[in-house]
Amino acid sequence: MATPKIVLNTSRDIPFNKLVLSQANVRRVKAGVSIEELAEDIARRTLLHSLAVRPVLDAEGNETGVFEVPVGGRRFRALELLVKQKRMSKTQPVPCVVRTAGLAEEDSLAENVQRAPLHPLDQFRAFQTLREAGLGEEEIAARFFVAPGVVKQRLKLAAVAPALLDAYAEDRMTLEQLMAFTVSGDHARQEQVWEALSRAYSREPYQIRRLLTEGAVRASDKRALFVGVEAYEAAGGAVMRDLFQHDDGGWLQDPALLDRLVAEKLEAEAATVRTEGWKWVEVALAFPYGHSRGLRRLAGEPVPLSEAEQATYDALHAEELDRVARRLSEIDVELRGLEERPLVYETAEVARAGVFVSVDVEGQLQVDRGYVRPEDEAPVEPVVSAGGEETSAGPANGGGGAVAAQPAAIAGGASVSAPVPVAGAATSEDDEGLRPLPERLLIELSVHRTLALRDALAKDPDTAFLAMLHTLCLRTFTQRPGASCLELELKSAGFGVQPPDLAASAAARAIDARQRAWSTQLPSGPAALWETLVGFDGDSRAALFAHCVSFGVNAVHEPWNRAPQRAAHADLLAEAVSLDMAAAGWTATVDSYLGRVPKARILEAVREARGPEAAQLIDHLRKPDMAKEAERLLAGSGWLPEPLRRPLEPAAGGDAGAAGDAEGEGASLPAFLTGDGEIPDAGGDADRTEAAAA
């Protein structure tokens, strides 16, 4: 039997005023492109698809010359809008396909159901074709009624390596993964990362972004802020940007070029400072914490305000209160500009003093003027006492007379004489056992704790008095000065081993700000200093006393100087000031902890902070990837490693009461207070302390 031949419906041009919208159209819900945008598209390109119509019959079944539109209702409304806007004649012929067989509702349903949506990749490539044809991004956006940013994103997606686009077309890659690959324009690197992830358990978009940006420098890095991304790009540097997520300005791909630009800009700034006549100018991206300890700070005089500036200053201070609320930010900026005046120094002092030129944590140039090294101090004239004896007055110590000078070698970061063990040198990084923490890491963690403890003690004058009294009693009645972590001579211990970015920590910034504030109030001469202290009220003396005492805190772990009783006293002090290292700003990062310990410790940290399920998410990763993912998981959790916790303090998310309930009330006391009032010697607790540290 012969297969019947298909006969297509006839098509004809029908004047628009002979068309009416059919009630048989199944589309009831508005979706997709609006009628207004479709009308604009028809006006630009004319009608791309015919309407499907059916003749309207009278009661006898004869055609009336009017046709209803069951298929193409949105196109009909768009044409109707163009007629109302008088942009199209109401008698304009409209191409139509005339149907008589079947049901009108069936035609409308089939037309919508059988329509296949365009694959996103086809859209990306179509935009790319238009771009290659000479159309700009703005013009493409206008023609398709989208924002220019959307066009940029689609063009970026179309520019990914062809092999990856094929994987996306074959549903072997998600759209989110494809978007992550747009961070880098290097097709070889894109394919390399995809190949590496194809064998991995997890292929999350954040992992793709991290691998593609390894070795690059974030635009939020202080070096990039100091130089400026524009200057870096002008020097030929490339920047990777993410059009689909907030990227803080992107990633700079050439760290070597960036470092060279930083060094050149710093040296240029230093050359300007040298013209002021200083004996020396030291230049560095950042100086170690305590680099100026032991140097006398010159007391300069601010440049006087001009009459106009003085008038502005007085007017700002006299601003009405109801206007201050509205202009608070503006006033603060203007006042700081007038109050933070350049200092004028004596020419003779400048000739023996120096300057530190560096970059602060916000990427701004930092110039600290007026530091005198001990060897550059002026010769001291002998003073003849009333009895005829000659004595030496010694140079005045400005700005912090209660704190003894620290040797410049240590302040500058000179290494200590005892060797520091190298973390991980003797064992495999993949050892899953909970080995003791590396000595250097213990030192760095204890440095953070010492600095935070100093800051906390400075804010608690009552405890500072108690700590000093405790130390004095130990020296007077027990002859055991080593049982206290306070160094009564107020020797401020230098940190020969410094953690990364120690000077940028919250505690370091708070201590430095407090030191600068007191320095402005205290004169350098001994007699004048005495008169000033006599004039202070009780609260000011207490605050200054606490500030000075805090510099004596030394809770640094020193492998060459086992001092268990000193560590126990540091625990007491931490309890007294309610020291919280998480609140003090310490967080577990790859550099500060996670990249320095075995995988077992990383998993332990995540398990304690986020639970066993979170640890299972990363237990299959290589150690570098595990450390990076753990940093992300631990962010904001408040988790701390054992050396940074207060006594009996559990890890974040741990059981806080287990240890105390097991040991009873006495468990909260340190080892040297659990006996019959006796203080054991250092050797008696050494083994227990070493075991606890392990």
Side-chain angles (χ1 to χ4, degrees), residues 152-171:
K152 291 178 183 292
Q153 290 177 332
R154 293 172 181 174
L155 291 174
K156 193 80 169 177
L157 288 165
V160 174
L164 273 60
L165 293 178
D166 293 341
Y168 172 58
E170 297 166 5
D171 294 329

Side-chain angles (χ1 to χ4, degrees), residues 17-68:
N17 60 354
K18 297 296 184 182
L19 300 176
V20 294
L21 187 62
S22 172
Q23 297 303 311
N25 193 304
V26 298
R27 185 185 290 274
R28 296 288 189 268
V29 180
K30 182 179 179 181
V33 180
S34 69
I35 298 300
E36 292 77 9
E37 290 179 357
L38 181 57
E40 291 298 328
D41 192 74
I42 293 174
R44 181 189 298 273
R45 276 180 267 277
T46 74
L47 198 63
L48 297 179
H49 301 284
S50 301
L51 304 180
V53 300
R54 287 175 175 269
V56 177
L57 306 179
D58 59 16
E60 286 76 25
N62 299 318
E63 292 189 10
T64 61
V66 177
F67 296 82
E68 63 177 358

Side-chain angles (χ1 to χ4, degrees), residues 227-538:
V227 171
V229 175
E230 297 79 7
Y232 165 81
E233 290 182 306
V239 179
M240 294 185 290
R241 289 186 170 88
D242 193 339
L243 297 183
F244 299 93
Q245 285 190 354
H246 180 65
D247 60 2
D248 289 328
W251 297 264
L252 282 62
Q253 291 183 262
D254 194 340
L257 172 62
L258 178 62
D259 288 339
R260 178 173 64 81
L261 294 175
V262 169
E264 290 174 354
K265 185 173 181 180
L266 272 175
E267 186 56 39
E269 297 288 351
T272 302
V273 174
R274 288 190 184 97
T275 62
E276 299 172 12
W278 300 98
K279 179 177 181 180
W280 52 267
V281 176
E282 289 193 11
V283 183
L285 178 64
F287 291 101
Y289 179 76
H291 66 282
S292 60
R293 196 71 48 74
L295 307 184
R296 179 170 63 87
R297 185 72 183 268
L298 298 181
E301 292 293 331
V303 174
L305 294 172
S306 66
E307 291 185 4
E309 289 173 331
Q310 185 65 52
T312 303
Y313 185 84
D314 294 338
L316 290 172
H317 270 291
E319 186 103 31
E320 295 179 2
L321 291 180
D322 60 334
R323 297 182 60 196
V324 168
R326 297 192 300 269
R327 291 200 57 218
L328 183 60
S329 178
E330 298 174 8
I331 290 174
D332 181 63
V333 172
E334 291 188 57
L335 281 175
R336 277 192 282 112
L338 295 170
E339 290 175 345
E340 297 176 1
R341 309 288 294 167
L343 299 179
V344 178
Y345 302 93
E346 295 182 10
T347 304
E349 293 276 40
V350 169
R352 68 167 61 95
V355 182
F356 296 102
V357 179
S358 60
V359 180
D360 67 14
V361 293
E362 297 179 351
Q364 300 297 314
L365 178 69
Q366 181 169 308
V367 181
D368 291 328
R369 296 175 172 85
Y371 289 92
V372 182
R373 292 168 174 158
E375 62 270 22
D376 293 329
E377 290 287 2
V380 179
E381 293 291 336
V383 178
V384 180
S385 65
E389 297 179 353
E390 289 188 356
T391 60
S392 176
N397 185 17
V403 183
Q406 174 187 355
I410 292 186
S415 60
V416 292
S417 57
V420 179
V422 179
T427 56
S428 169
E429 287 286 70
D430 292 328
D431 182 4
E432 295 296 331
L434 286 176
R435 304 192 311 274
L437 294 177
E439 289 285 358
R440 183 182 176 90
L441 179 56
L442 275 173
I443 296 172
E444 292 190 4
L445 293 176
S446 65
V447 165
H448 273 295
R449 188 174 188 239
T450 294
L451 204 60
L453 191 53
R454 290 179 180 180
D455 184 38
L457 186 62
K459 299 172 182 175
D460 194 337
D462 291 339
T463 303
F465 273 113
L466 179 61
M468 180 61 81
L469 181 60
H470 173 257
T471 305
L472 289 173
C473 290
L474 285 175
R475 285 183 173 274
T476 304
F477 300 106
T478 69
Q479 301 300 314
R480 291 182 181 274
S484 172
C485 72
L486 282 185
E487 299 185 14
L488 190 58
E489 296 84 359
L490 284 176
K491 295 185 301 182
S492 185
F495 304 135
V497 174
Q498 291 208 5
D501 292 331
L502 179 65
S505 66
R509 295 199 302 270
I511 291 173
D512 290 343
R514 198 160 40 244
Q515 177 76 5
R516 288 193 298 271
W518 281 116
S519 297
T520 60
Q521 300 181 55
L522 301 178
S524 58
L529 176 61
W530 175 259
E531 293 297 329
T532 299
L533 295 179
V534 168
F536 280 173
D537 58 24

Side-chain angles (χ1 to χ4, degrees), residues 120-189:
L121 181 58
D122 292 329
Q123 187 184 98
F124 306 156
R125 286 170 168 163
F127 273 43
Q128 188 179 44
T129 300
L130 294 176
R131 185 70 179 86
E132 293 171 351
L135 296 181
E137 295 169 357
E138 298 283 347
E139 188 174 1
I140 296 174
R143 290 192 178 191
F144 291 92
F145 310 102
V146 296
V150 174
V151 177
K152 291 178 183 292
Q153 290 177 332
R154 293 172 181 174
L155 291 174
K156 193 80 169 177
L157 288 165
V160 174
L164 273 60
L165 293 178
D166 293 341
Y168 172 58
E170 297 166 5
D171 294 329
R172 290 185 287 113
M173 178 188 297
T174 66
L175 178 59
E176 289 74 18
Q177 290 171 329
L178 185 67
M179 290 190 294
F181 276 106
T182 64
V183 169
S184 172
D186 186 342
H187 286 184
R189 179 59 179 159

